[in-house]
């Protein structure tokens, strides 16, 4: 049995494929990606959310992940344990996989992080884009594709860019006040690589607006260590003012206004005043290296929006080079 591989494909509004070397796996700890999870010592599974057709005819394949632990952060460096094929599409995937629990916070979405990054393929693309992740010797991989298996519904993985039932659309994000605004999973990358030193915070500003076809709602920001050295910590602190007159946050959510922000925690942006529609935060690093911060902006406050609905967030990415010594 040694060396035998079993491949299982699951398709349920997104797809995860598990490739298992039987002799190397502990089946009491490592199950299929959609099985009930264990509390610890578990793995991270990559997911394909679906695809969008872009205005220029290209397609964006949306990928996310599920960390199947209750609390344990999993980090896997880019390389032989975390790569995308064909190689021309490799490099945009995360190296840090925190535990998320949107259900626990009263939001539809469960323990899966959707739309963490996108891969853009040409209009005439054929075949699959595979994302492979190995956690402690246990490998999971998933194909991103434009056509679903079978003969009936070839476009089953296509996601809508249209408005939700009450009019929610993805918010727009830009890194310059009068700069280009981008909408979508593939997002926008800050034009400069920021430089920082260990223990010295770097400051970031951006602007984000709701675009819903309904009464506009405030936008949330959440901050993520997308890439960076394994084991390195990024400490985020919001400098964003509390929105005037905003309702108190729901139980389990962060209080409005400046202060420390945990990974993935929502911060409500003001829509009026000097900081209207502006997100403002610092990030401080404890280890030198190259980092990518993901800034997710969402309108999950709207009735028809949520992290599991594939509709209502856009990504921004900030590259930071961190030196050992103060520059």
């Amino acid at each position: 049995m040694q060396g035998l591989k079993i491949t299982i494909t699951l398709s349920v509004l997104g797809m995860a494929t598990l490739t298992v070397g039987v002799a190397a796996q502990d089946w009491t700890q490592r199950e299929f990606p959609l099985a009930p999870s264990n509390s610890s010592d578990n793995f991270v599974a990559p997911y394909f959310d679906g695809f969008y057709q872009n205005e220029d005819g290209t397609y964006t394949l949306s990928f996310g992940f599920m960390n199947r632990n209750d609390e344990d952060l999993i980090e896997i460096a880019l390389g032989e344990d975390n790569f995308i094929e064909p190689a021309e599409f490799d490099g945009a995937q995360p190296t840090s996989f925190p535990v998320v629990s949107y259900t626990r916070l009263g939001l539809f979405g469960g323990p899966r992080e959707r739309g963490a990054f996108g891969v853009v393929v040409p209009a005439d693309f054929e075949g699959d884009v595979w994302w492979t992740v190995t956690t402690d010797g246990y490998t999971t991989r998933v194909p991103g594709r434009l056509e679903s298996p079978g003969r009936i519904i070839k476009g089953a993985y296509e996601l809508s860019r249209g408005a939700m039932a009450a009019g929610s659309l993805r918010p727009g994000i830009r890194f310059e006040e009068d700069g280009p605004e981008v909408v979508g999973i593939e997002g926008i990358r800050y034009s400069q690589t920021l430089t920082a030193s260990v223990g010295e915070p770097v400051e970031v500003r951006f602007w984000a607006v709701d675009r819903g076809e309904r009464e506009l709602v405030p936008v949330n920001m959440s901050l993520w260590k997308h890439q960076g050295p394994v084991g390195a910590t990024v400490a985020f602190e919001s400098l964003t003012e509390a929105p005037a007159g905003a309702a108190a946050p729901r139980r389990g959510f962060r209080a409005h206004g400046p202060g420390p922000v945990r990974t993935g925690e929502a911060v409500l942006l003001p829509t009026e005043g000097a900081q209207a529609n502006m997100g403002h935060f610092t990030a401080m690093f404890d280890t030198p290296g190259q980092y990518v911060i993901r800034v997710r902006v969402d309108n999950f406050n709207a009735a028809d929006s949520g992290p599991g609905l594939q509709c209502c967030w856009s990504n921004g990415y900030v590259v930071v080079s961190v030196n050992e010594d103060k520059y």
Side-chain angles (χ1 to χ4, degrees):
M1 293 292 286
Q2 188 170 8
L4 176 65
K5 291 186 176 181
I6 300 174
T7 300
I8 299 170
T9 301
L10 306 172
S11 298
V12 282
L13 293 177
M15 182 165 55
T17 297
L18 174 66
T19 300
V20 181
V22 173
Q25 308 295 329
D26 179 355
W27 288 81
T28 65
Q29 296 294 320
R30 316 287 194 178
E31 321 92 341
F32 302 117
L34 292 176
S37 61
N38 291 331
S39 59
S40 61
D41 195 27
N42 218 311
F43 64 96
V44 62
Y47 276 76
F48 171 56
D49 303 314
F51 71 85
Y52 304 90
Q53 185 169 23
N54 302 313
E55 292 181 355
D56 61 1
T58 62
Y59 297 89
T60 296
L61 308 179
S62 175
F63 290 92
F65 62 85
M66 182 193 293
N67 179 339
R68 293 175 43 76
N69 294 286
D70 281 351
E71 297 180 353
D72 300 342
L73 169 69
I74 294 177
E75 298 202 301
I76 305 172
L78 300 182
E80 62 182 5
D81 290 336
N82 182 3
F83 62 93
I84 289 178
E85 297 174 299
E88 64 189 281
F89 303 117
D90 189 33
Q93 67 272 28
T95 65
S96 185
F97 305 94
V99 173
V100 300
S101 182
Y102 295 112
T103 302
R104 187 179 303 166
L105 297 176
L107 294 170
F108 176 73
R112 189 154 77 81
E113 180 63 15
R114 296 164 173 82
F117 71 101
V119 171
V120 179
V121 298
D124 59 353
F125 180 78
E126 295 182 355
D128 296 333
V129 175
W130 284 90
W131 183 17
T132 301
V133 177
T134 299
T135 311
D136 296 332
Y138 191 79
T139 298
T140 52
R141 59 198 304 255
V142 67
R145 55 180 51 153
L146 302 179
E147 288 192 359
S148 59
R151 300 179 179 179
I152 300 178
I153 309 177
K154 289 293 185 182
Y157 298 135
E158 184 169 10
L159 303 172
S160 172
R161 287 187 179 274
M164 297 293 286
S168 286
L169 292 165
R170 295 184 185 277
I173 180 172
R174 60 186 187 275
F175 284 110
E176 298 174 4
E177 189 168 10
D178 298 321
E181 182 176 286
V182 170
V183 172
I185 296 300
E186 66 275 27
I188 184 173
R189 181 167 289 225
Y190 189 45
S191 59
Q192 305 174 32
T193 296
L194 302 180
T195 303
S197 297
V198 170
E200 296 289 329
V202 63
E203 194 169 330
V204 178
R205 288 183 175 84
F206 68 90
W207 286 261
V209 293
D210 186 35
R211 304 167 48 251
E213 297 174 353
R214 46 152 171 67
E215 183 178 355
L216 299 182
V217 301
V219 170
N220 299 300
M221 77 167 179
S222 60
L223 306 171
W224 308 71
K225 176 189 173 186
H226 187 69
Q227 294 181 353
V230 171
T233 300
V234 184
F236 296 112
E237 180 157 350
S238 174
L239 303 179
T240 302
E241 295 178 352
R250 287 178 288 180
R251 184 178 180 181
F253 284 71
R254 179 185 181 277
H256 302 314
V261 183
R262 292 175 296 182
T263 297
E265 199 170 39
V267 176
L268 194 66
L269 304 187
T271 56
E272 299 178 350
Q275 291 193 358
N277 303 315
M278 187 176 79
H280 188 192
F281 68 90
T282 63
M284 189 165 65
F285 309 85
D286 67 355
T287 303
Q290 194 83 358
Y291 294 78
V292 178
I293 298 169
R294 178 165 72 104
V295 181
R296 189 188 71 190
V297 294
D298 68 71
N299 52 26
F300 295 161
N301 306 302
D304 59 346
S305 176
L309 300 177
Q310 301 285 359
C311 66
C312 301
W313 69 92
S314 297
N315 294 321
Y317 301 93
V318 182
V319 180
V320 184
S321 179
V322 179
N323 305 307
E324 180 69 58
D325 300 317
K326 189 173 184 179
Y327 59 93

